[in-house]
Amino acid sequence: MTDFHRNRASTMNLTVLGIGLMGMPMAKRLREAGFEVTAWNRTREKALRLASHGARVAHTAAQAVRDADIVITMLDNGEVVDSVLFGQGVASVLKPGTLVIDMSSIKPSQARQHAARLRELGMAHLDAPVSGGTVGAEAGTLAIMAGGEAADFERALPVFAPLGRATHVGPHGAGQLAKLANQMIVGITIGAVSEALLLCAKGGADMAKVREAIRGGFAESRVLDLHGQRMVENDFVKRAALTVQLKDMRNALDTASELGFEAPVTGLFEQLYASATEHGFAELDHSALFCELARRNGMR
């Protein structure tokens, strides 16, 4: 973080709404960067974990945002974002000119609707979903994809700096489009790596050695590296939830339908992730699509 960003942090009040798997490490990094942070979470006990890091914890979302210059939302889906912003009184108590940065993963159409409603109330908005999971959130190496006005993106840069690398990808909704592209690629690649490793295991090869052998070739990817290792070690503890991956695939399909775009590969993988949730893997990491494909082949 540069001296310029540190100076900006010392004069800026932030509120983080949603202190879950991602919101907790992100809020912690913002406190460590010098921001005054107020936190709110539906389950208050989760937000209270930030108190030891110097954050204030509010009882309600509306109380949390009253003095905020910038509000960050990291919530489950677009419906929850809508409920918190407009159903729980947040938008009605924001100071004029407050910048709302929605870092949740929601539909592009929902992001555009939220931006329009906030603009009518005199507020600014960015949709800025992230990729990198809890590992990236803890390390401050998230990929941040931002949609909205260029001036608002520049205003948000000191906030983004402790969290990762931010890119302005276009107007309102474009950040969510970029996140859907990311999730399509990640979700489909998890399936490809799973199926390939399982085929090798079925034929008698050592999965770990196969993964080692193909790394560095054209099959190399972050998914083969991290998720492939989880498959080899049978480690599917949730870092990025399989249910969230399914939600993102469905959001991608809904968006494709709105645009008149055919996405057959994404459609196939939506069915596979849905099947995984139906067969007991819903509470695992999204790499647990491996378990569903193993089940189908009598290997689990």
Side-chain angles (χ1 to χ4, degrees), residues 16 19 34 57-59 63-64 90 103 134 139 144 150 194 200 202 221 232 240 252 263 270-271:
V16 180
I19 310 298
V57 179
H59 286 277
Q63 289 174 352
V90 166
M103 305 188 80
T134 54
I144 305 167
S194 297
C200 292
K202 188 78 169 181
S221 70
V232 168
E270 183 275 334
Q271 295 174 31

Side-chain angles (χ1 to χ4, degrees), residues 137-258:
E138 290 164 1
T141 57
L142 293 170
I144 305 167
M145 301 148 268
E149 300 293 334
D152 293 325
F153 176 75
E154 291 295 321
R155 180 180 168 192
L157 283 176
V159 177
F160 292 147
L163 303 178
R165 175 181 56 84
T167 305
H168 184 223
V169 295
H172 296 293
Q176 297 297 347
L177 279 170
K179 178 59 186 289
L180 290 181
N182 180 86
Q183 293 304 90
M184 291 163 72
I185 293 167
V186 169
I188 291 165
T189 306
I190 285 173
V193 171
S194 297
E195 192 166 275
L197 293 181
L198 283 166
L199 174 68
C200 292
K202 188 78 169 181
D206 184 323
M207 280 201 313
K209 293 297 185 182
V210 169
R211 173 180 167 275
E212 180 183 331
I214 62 179
R215 292 194 62 195
F218 281 158
E220 178 66 284
S221 70
R222 185 92 168 139
V223 170
L224 179 64
D225 179 14
L226 294 182
H227 298 75
Q229 186 64 27
R230 294 173 195 172
M231 295 168 194
V232 168
E233 296 176 351
N234 198 38
D235 174 14
F236 301 108
V237 174
K238 182 165 58 178
R239 287 91 163 177
L242 191 146
T243 51
V244 172
Q245 182 70 58
L246 175 59
K247 176 205 71 173
D248 290 337
M249 300 306 254
R250 288 175 171 168
N251 283 348
L253 290 173
D254 287 345
T255 300
S257 178
E258 292 169 6

